[in-house]
Amino acid sequence: MNLRLSKAAGYAIHALHYMCRANSPKPIMVREIAQHLQLPYDSVLKVLRQLAKARVVTAHRGSKGGFSLRRPGAEITFLDVIEVIDGPLEAEPHPAGKGSHGKPIANDILAEATAQLKRLLAKGTIDSI
């Protein structure tokens, strides 16, 4: 089993961290974030729009527009960001490999591993990196 962070979730975490560190009272333009982090503009824009829809950031329109954090980086967890971008983190039940009790052997272990991973990701915040 490979556990990988999607590129989009990685872009979102890096963009939010940049915004957190910038600590700007004004909205930060996507072009600034993308250039500073050397990330594709379109990808950064896409994840920031997803984060705006989920109310993690605020989108500001106009020539001086951009994005700003809706809450401090200390209140935005890795789990929040990953689940906005990639969807809920869940262990998928697997029907094969039933044990002596008629229950799939790995399902309980995977469910517990997923729960532990969620707890760990919920502890890490954007301002902690």
Side-chain angles (χ1 to χ4, degrees):
M1 175 169 99
N2 289 332
L3 179 63
R4 294 184 188 185
L5 186 64
S6 71
K7 279 186 183 180
Y11 293 166
I13 289 169
H14 284 27
L16 290 171
H17 182 254
Y18 178 80
M19 293 170 69
C20 183
R21 291 291 175 240
N23 199 22
S24 175
K26 298 185 225 171
I28 301 172
M29 294 180 148
V30 176
R31 188 160 317 286
E32 175 186 339
I33 297 168
Q35 285 176 344
H36 183 81
L37 298 174
Q38 298 180 348
L39 297 174
Y41 174 87
D42 291 339
S43 298
V44 174
L45 178 60
K46 182 179 176 181
V47 298
L48 287 173
R49 284 181 174 161
Q50 287 177 276
L51 292 166
K53 188 175 179 181
R55 305 178 62 89
V56 176
V57 298
T58 301
H60 303 270
R61 294 181 178 259
S63 62
K64 305 242 187 222
F67 290 87
S68 60
L69 297 175
R70 283 186 84 97
R71 56 188 195 258
E75 296 177 15
I76 304 170
T77 69
F78 295 132
L79 182 63
D80 294 335
V81 178
I82 291 167
E83 288 193 330
V84 165
I85 303 300
D86 293 337
L89 189 60
E90 301 174 335
E92 292 288 326
H94 195 280
K98 296 191 188 254
S100 59
H101 301 293
K103 189 173 170 185
I105 299 168
N107 285 354
D108 290 340
I109 295 168
L110 291 175
E112 179 57 29
T114 301
Q116 287 181 19
L117 178 59
K118 287 177 88 167
R119 285 191 293 274
L120 182 64
L121 291 171
K123 288 181 184 177
T125 61
I126 295 302
D127 75 340
S128 68
I129 48 177

